[in-house]
Amino acid sequence: MDIHAYTADFLEAQEKKDPGQKVFLQAVKEVVSTLHPVLEQNPVYIKEKILERLVEPERIISFRVPWQDDKGEIHVNRGYRVQFNSAIGPYKGGIRFHTSVTQDSLKFLAFEQTFKNSLTTLPLGGGKGGSDFDARGKSDGEVMRFCHSFMNELYRHIGYHTDVPAGDLGCGAREIGYMYGQYKKLTDVFTGTFTGKKPNWGGSLLRPEATGYGVAYFTQNMLATKNDSVKGKTCIVSGTGNVGVHAIEKLTELGGKVVGFMDYDGSVYDKDGVDAEKLAFLKDLVFVRRGSLKEYVKKFPKAEFRPGKKTWDIPCNIACPTACENELHGDDAKTLLKNGCKCVCEGSNMPCTPEAIEAFQAAGILYSPGKASNAGGVAVSGLEMTQNSMRLYWTREEVDQYLHRIMNSIHNSCLEAAEMYGMKGNYMAGANIAGFKKVADSMLDQGLV
Ligand code: 2IT
């Protein structure tokens, strides 16, 4: 069989099925483009139509979320949960609250999550949910009423052994608190049905830090393959949400100098790099006051604020995109390469466009896809589930050891799978292949369901 013709037909059929789902199709295309040798050596995947089955979510729930603002005005948002694949464990993945949320974006995220969760070594299926709700500028009361309304429907579809949501963009500990409270009220059970909970009521220590720390550990692992390290390297981290700020923290701890980062208003260029004092300010600004990075340059006037500008023109050795999908374009990749960037480690989901990835791979620099390098977050979510099951807590150090071990294991799986199928050093291919095989083989074992 001509595998290339088979995958071309497969992708064409997918495009016909969901013509408007651009990011989902982009994610599917990327995965399929790396699976040719796997399909060639395992024709059973073709015969059993594993690809066709894998790209079809097991279930999508879409629902109305009505809520009232502080003035009494009524708003209606749309809520979703995409339960993508449960072959290796209960659906697991975050909830995104952002104006950009559509069925397309959540299908893409749930698809990526399926592979990512497979790589973590833990028994986690893939899912994602969210709403087009924008929490920015809303009062705590408004956010609470929205979250309660969201949960009034979602509660019947999730559960400790069924589907375990967590946070994502626009959904942090505050939102998880409100959702978990309502979930508990409606079901009358105290279980680990959510992760990313606060430690007082079932959360794991180190869960907030896990994604960002994991990105830094993965960066360190990639550089180690070139007998190099983060120490002394100039770094850029794009987003300054939960992932970005903790990536800045760990990269700095590992001896890196983080000189660029950004938020919705623009970017900061801080030639001297972030230190402990600046990091403490940043954490308070982002997590407590929910303020703008403009305040960072007021406090540290040697740093420059660049309104509306991204970070990618700032010279660096290491770039970690941590904001959102398709934030780093082909032109940005060329600029990074021209300025000497040698390592791109994705902290968000699919932040690099296909053109950008192509440019990095053609230049032969280290590049890792988010589904491998940002898996630390969901991995510690898995560890939160374990702790909840045992009804005990591990220390920060214990969780960090597990996280470190899991990131090492993901790194090795990527390298091994890539080499086994003739694409040595290609982390994208390795992540897709290793993630795919575990899920695909489990689907085969379980028959046509
Ligand atoms: O993209 C992600 O991996 C997450 N938003 C975390 C999901 C989780 O269940 O912790």
Side-chain angles (χ1 to χ4, degrees):
M1 179 183 242
D2 180 347
I3 303 292
H4 284 84
Y6 163 72
T7 55
D9 287 350
F10 166 79
L11 289 172
E12 201 185 315
Q14 286 311 307
E15 273 183 55
K16 277 206 185 115
K17 228 180 205 179
D18 296 306
Q21 298 191 343
K22 293 214 161 48
V23 274
F24 175 62
L25 290 169
Q26 180 187 337
V28 170
K29 223 170 181 170
E30 181 218 286
V31 167
V32 171
S33 75
T34 57
L35 292 181
H36 291 114
V38 182
L39 298 170
E40 199 135 44
Q41 288 178 39
N42 303 274
V44 65
Y45 295 144
I46 298 176
K47 181 173 166 283
E48 294 290 333
K49 295 224 170 12
I50 288 295
L51 280 188
E52 289 82 347
R53 286 156 62 186
L54 191 58
V55 295
E56 196 62 41
E58 290 176 15
R59 188 178 300 110
I60 297 179
I61 300 135
S62 168
F63 51 95
R64 177 174 69 204
V65 190
W67 58 280
Q68 257 179 321
D69 67 20
D70 290 342
K71 293 193 206 96
E73 196 176 322
I74 291 171
H75 300 265
V76 181
N77 285 97
R78 191 174 287 170
Y80 301 96
R81 186 74 182 163
V82 178
Q83 298 182 330
F84 214 101
N85 194 294
S86 62
I88 64 169
Y91 308 110
K92 180 83 195 87
I95 287 191
R96 175 171 291 195
F97 292 145
H98 193 261
T99 48
S100 67
V101 164
T102 59
Q103 186 163 310
D104 173 28
S105 69
L106 293 178
K107 268 180 78 179
F108 131 65
L109 288 163
F111 180 73
E112 292 280 293
Q113 197 79 47
T114 301
F115 291 80
K116 183 195 309 195
N117 293 1
S118 163
L119 288 167
T120 63
T121 71
L122 303 173
L124 304 169
K128 203 92 184 188
S131 172
D132 55 354
F133 174 75
D134 184 3
R136 285 190 309 150
K138 306 280 190 304
S139 70
D140 285 350
E142 289 171 333
V143 171
M144 181 181 78
R145 289 194 290 281
F146 167 80
C147 288
H148 283 178
S149 179
F150 186 83
M151 199 40 57
N152 284 342
E153 174 58 34
L154 190 65
Y155 86 96
R156 68 187 96 242
H157 306 289
I158 59 176
Y160 190 57
H161 298 293
T162 313
D163 185 352
V164 183
D168 193 76
L169 224 85
C171 179
R174 174 181 61 169
E175 289 74 17
I176 289 173
Y178 293 147
M179 285 193 283
Y180 188 68
Q182 186 71 349
Y183 177 78
K184 196 157 53 60
K185 176 92 182 171
L186 293 168
T187 59
D188 204 21
V189 289
F190 194 109
T191 63
T193 297
F194 268 84
T195 63
K197 304 186 291 299
K198 279 198 176 169
N200 284 348
W201 38 276
S204 174
L205 293 175
L206 216 80
R207 174 62 189 89
E209 295 88 344
T211 316
Y213 282 14
V215 169
Y217 294 153
F218 203 92
T219 304
Q220 187 83 321
N221 280 341
M222 287 204 288
L223 290 165
T225 65
K226 308 272 183 205
N227 292 319
D228 209 343
S229 77
V230 171
K231 203 170 166 57
K233 301 287 186 302
T234 307
C235 312
I236 286 176
V237 172
S238 54
T240 38
N242 187 44
V243 181
V245 170
H246 292 114
I248 294 174
E249 179 174 40
K250 190 53 85 175
L251 286 167
T252 307
E253 226 177 280
L254 293 173
K257 184 166 145 186
V258 181
V259 296
F261 42 91
M262 67 176 199
D263 69 5
Y264 290 101
D265 294 327
S267 54
V268 169
Y269 184 17
D270 186 350
K271 277 197 187 73
D272 298 335
V274 174
D275 58 17
E277 187 198 353
K278 292 173 182 173
L279 183 71
F281 179 85
L282 205 52
K283 280 186 170 177
D284 181 61
L285 178 69
V286 171
F287 300 137
V288 183
R289 293 189 283 127
R290 298 172 196 270
S292 157
L293 285 179
K294 286 179 201 155
E295 290 185 46
Y296 180 94
V297 294
K298 274 192 206 137
K299 172 86 178 160
F300 306 106
K302 275 169 125 182
E304 179 196 344
F305 186 73
R306 307 155 359 128
K309 221 169 156 191
K310 294 196 285 183
T311 45
W312 311 122
D313 61 309
I314 298 171
C316 68
N317 308 118
I318 297 168
C320 300
T322 56
C324 60
E325 59 269 18
N326 291 327
E327 59 170 297
L328 198 162
H329 302 158
D331 287 351
D332 300 322
K334 282 186 197 129
T335 307
L336 282 166
L337 290 166
K338 186 168 67 84
N339 287 338
C341 179
K342 292 276 181 280
C343 176
V344 177
C345 185
E346 291 186 350
S348 40
N349 296 307
M350 211 169 74
C352 297
T353 63
E355 295 74 29
I357 297 171
E358 222 174 286
F360 296 140
Q361 292 186 332
I365 69 160
L366 294 164
Y367 160 75
S368 77
K371 59 172 82 78
S373 41
N374 77 28
V378 75
V380 172
S381 276
L383 301 178
E384 183 170 325
M385 290 164 71
T386 309
Q387 292 167 79
N388 291 163
S389 297
M390 297 193 298
R391 295 191 193 281
L392 55 74
Y393 292 107
W394 291 331
T395 64
R396 247 180 106 81
E397 290 70 30
E398 283 171 311
V399 179
D400 197 33
Q401 272 176 18
Y402 270 115
L403 171 64
H404 225 130
R405 234 180 287 158
I406 290 172
M407 295 315 293
N408 291 347
S409 158
I410 297 172
H411 182 259
N412 287 343
S413 302
C414 291
L415 285 185
E416 276 170 27
E419 185 157 10
M420 185 184 293
Y421 288 95
M423 291 176 273
K424 194 169 175 202
N426 183 338
Y427 286 90
M428 182 175 93
N432 288 338
I433 293 169
F436 169 81
K437 281 196 79 181
K438 184 172 174 186
V439 175
D441 290 340
S442 306
M443 288 172 75
L444 287 179
D445 291 343
Q446 294 167 23
L448 196 54
V449 290

